[in-house]
Amino acid sequence: MPKWPDDDVILFDGVCIFCSRWVRFVAARDTARRFRFTPIQSDYGTRLAKAFGIDPDDPDTNALIHGGEAFLKSDAALTVLSHLPGWGWVRVLFAVSRPLRNAVYDLVARNRYRIFGKYDACFVPDSDLRARVLE
């Protein structure tokens, strides 16, 4: 996989209500303001997605750029959570096999619009979160 120059960037589906809630969840707990966010629908997000083989028109995963490398699916979610204060315990979930973790991830990802809904356009974050969004 290629390297990416920016670090601790979370790529997410900006029209997915569940994904946007994930961003707000992370931002609210990320007291060190370590993570930045980019919707896949933005120019920056589209370039990032294409660099790591994610279809920007039909995203099936969020991604985390950490240490210059991309983490996808359950690896991305668990890596993000494990860096939030009080959430280090989730590292034990890495002991669960990746195929099993990703099967659960894929089930949610496939049904996220049907279960949680979809925005007509990318969600607009509040001003505090806006400062952490790369477009």
Side-chain angles (χ1 to χ4, degrees), residues 52-108:
F52 291 100
I54 299 168
D55 181 355
D57 296 319
D58 188 24
D60 64 350
T61 181
N62 73 31
L64 168 66
I65 307 305
H66 179 69
E69 300 194 28
F71 293 80
L72 306 176
K73 299 188 179 193
S74 65
D75 286 339
L78 292 176
T79 301
V80 168
L81 287 171
S82 71
H83 284 89
L84 296 177
W87 284 83
W89 62 268
V90 303
R91 286 182 185 95
V92 302
L93 296 176
F94 282 112
V96 176
S97 73
R98 181 179 288 133
L100 180 58
R101 285 188 281 118
N102 283 343
V104 172
Y105 183 97
D106 289 341
L107 180 66
V108 173

Side-chain angles (χ1 to χ4, degrees), residues 1 3 5-6 15 18 31 34 42 44 46-47 66 69 87 96 103 106 108 111 114 127 129 133-134:
M1 280 201 161
K3 289 280 195 185
D6 296 320
V15 297
F18 179 74
T31 55
R34 164 188 211 134
S42 70
Y44 180 90
T46 297
R47 284 195 323 272
H66 179 69
E69 300 194 28
W87 284 83
V96 176
D106 289 341
V108 173
N111 295 293
R114 188 170 50 79
S127 60
L129 182 53
V133 173
L134 303 171

